Amino acid sequence: MVLKIGLIGINGFGATHGKVILDLVGRGDLQCAAFADIEVDPEGDIYRGLVANGAKYYRDYEEMLDNHKDLDFVVISTPIALHKPMAVETLSRGFNVLLEKPPAVTIQDIDTIIEASEEADRLCAVNFQNTSHRSFLQLNHMIGQGDLGNINTVIGVGMWKRTDDYYERTSWAGKLIHNGEYVLDGTINNPLAHLLNNCLIVAGRGDAKRAVPKMVQAELYKGHDIEGEDTACVRVHTENDVEILFYTTLCHFTQETPYIIVNGDKGRAIWTYDNDLRIEYIDGKEKVFSYGRE
């Protein structure tokens, strides 16, 4: 079965979605019927590739939804403050949604999206892309079967280098509020949100719902001339008595590979964004899984 989709946003990270979609279209796994963005480069590779494969361009995403009611799902990759209104509108019209992270800015916005999804009886998935790596799935499987014993601490570390150009790429980057709407752009809520998400999943033994935070402490810093944070130290205590320590910065000297350390009473695990996993048991034995980039 070839799924028919629509894409909202082809700039920024939307371009990455566009590349993936074109690859899937080329393999015959997907059909992109339409895409929407208020600003496009008609000579750009993504625009030209989508149009060449039969996708129709719209400046207004609502017009796209009106004219393509048979879409199996809609991908939304737009500025953060637009996620909630666009997701709610798309869900309420009866479409399934793949929403780029972060799904929204506030808890109240998240609740509104969930309510819209439930009322429309449609799915709203969030593109936390690192949850599907085979090494991460292997880690959760081993934790679930008790390889590490009782989990007591999960440590997430992300150290990236971002120059001033990163914050000049768009008018909302690094802002707390943009055009009267909350953005809260920082390591926790945007570029390294998937690392925190993975920490919560691991703390919940594969299910973040078991690791709901009951206490959060944070120290937020900034090295760039921005409103939000670019460096954060966060401690989270979860309802299932796991401590999460989360350390992130966009001011590192180099671009390092983010990683997670999971400590249990039978050993520890080290998982990296490179799709590698190492289990170190207290008796000195080790297990190593290396799947490479997928």
Side-chain angles (χ1 to χ4, degrees):
M1 177 182 178
V2 177
L3 296 176
K4 184 182 292 187
I5 73 161
L7 171 62
I8 304 174
I10 67 168
N11 295 303
F13 201 78
T16 299
H17 281 284
K19 291 176 183 178
V20 173
I21 288 169
L22 287 173
D23 179 59
L24 293 172
V25 169
R27 287 158 45 182
D29 296 328
L30 203 66
Q31 177 189 353
C32 185
F35 65 101
D37 204 313
I38 59 172
E39 293 184 7
V40 296
D41 177 7
E43 300 302 318
D45 291 340
I46 302 302
Y47 180 95
R48 295 177 65 182
L50 292 172
V51 171
N53 281 278
K56 186 174 180 180
Y57 165 63
Y58 293 86
R59 196 171 189 275
D60 183 343
Y61 84 98
E62 293 187 61
E63 183 182 359
M64 181 189 82
L65 299 179
D66 284 338
N67 291 336
H68 299 271
K69 298 183 184 298
D70 61 341
L71 299 176
D72 292 295
F73 68 95
V74 176
V75 180
I76 299 176
S77 185
T78 56
I80 297 171
L82 297 178
H83 285 187
K84 185 202 75 173
M86 286 185 168
V88 170
E89 180 66 24
T90 305
L91 289 164
S92 67
R93 290 173 179 241
F95 297 97
N96 297 305
V97 169
L98 173 60
L99 184 59
E100 184 51 45
K101 64 84 187 159
V105 180
T106 68
I107 293 174
Q108 291 83 358
D109 287 347
I110 294 292
D111 287 342
T112 300
I113 294 173
I114 292 173
E115 182 179 345
S117 175
E118 291 175 345
E119 286 185 357
D121 193 24
R122 290 295 181 265
L123 298 175
C124 182
V126 180
N127 185 40
F128 283 112
Q129 63 267 39
N130 291 307
T131 58
S132 58
H133 282 184
R134 282 185 288 173
S135 58
F136 189 68
L137 297 175
Q138 179 70 36
L139 171 60
N140 283 296
H141 172 72
M142 298 182 76
I143 290 174
Q145 67 182 12
D147 275 43
L148 297 180
N150 292 320
I151 303 303
N152 49 65
T153 308
V154 175
I155 303 168
V157 179
M159 298 184 294
W160 283 350
K161 179 181 179 179
R162 293 291 186 266
T163 62
D164 290 341
D165 290 345
Y166 174 80
Y167 292 101
E168 295 169 358
R169 76 192 194 283
T170 179
S171 58
W172 55 264
K175 297 291 182 64
L176 296 177
I177 297 175
H178 181 248
N179 290 336
E181 299 289 339
Y182 282 116
V183 178
L184 306 184
D185 183 37
T187 64
I188 300 170
N189 196 44
N190 191 10
L192 286 158
H194 34 64
L195 182 65
L196 181 57
N197 183 62
N198 280 24
C199 287
L200 289 163
I201 292 172
V202 169
R205 294 177 171 268
D207 183 358
K209 293 180 181 179
R210 291 196 287 256
V212 173
K214 64 179 181 181
M215 188 279 290
V216 178
Q217 295 176 303
E219 294 182 3
L220 308 179
Y221 305 93
K222 60 180 179 180
H224 293 92
D225 184 18
I226 58 175
E227 294 178 6
E229 51 87 8
D230 56 33
T231 302
C233 302
V234 183
R235 175 187 286 117
V236 179
H237 288 284
T238 68
E239 290 184 352
N240 62 335
D241 294 324
V242 177
E243 182 180 57
I244 297 173
L245 303 174
F246 186 68
Y247 306 106
T248 56
T249 185
L250 300 181
C251 300
H252 199 45
F253 296 107
T254 58
Q255 186 86 349
E256 301 291 337
T257 301
Y259 61 89
I260 292 175
I261 298 174
V262 185
N263 293 311
D265 55 20
K266 291 184 179 179
R268 73 170 187 165
I270 302 95
W271 172 82
T272 79
Y273 271 27
D274 286 333
N275 209 10
D276 294 329
L277 171 65
R278 185 169 77 252
I279 309 293
E280 301 173 347
Y281 298 99
I282 59 174
D283 62 4
K285 295 180 180 179
E286 289 190 1
K287 291 182 180 178
V288 178
F289 306 86
S290 184
Y291 296 103
R293 284 289 183 178
E294 295 177 317

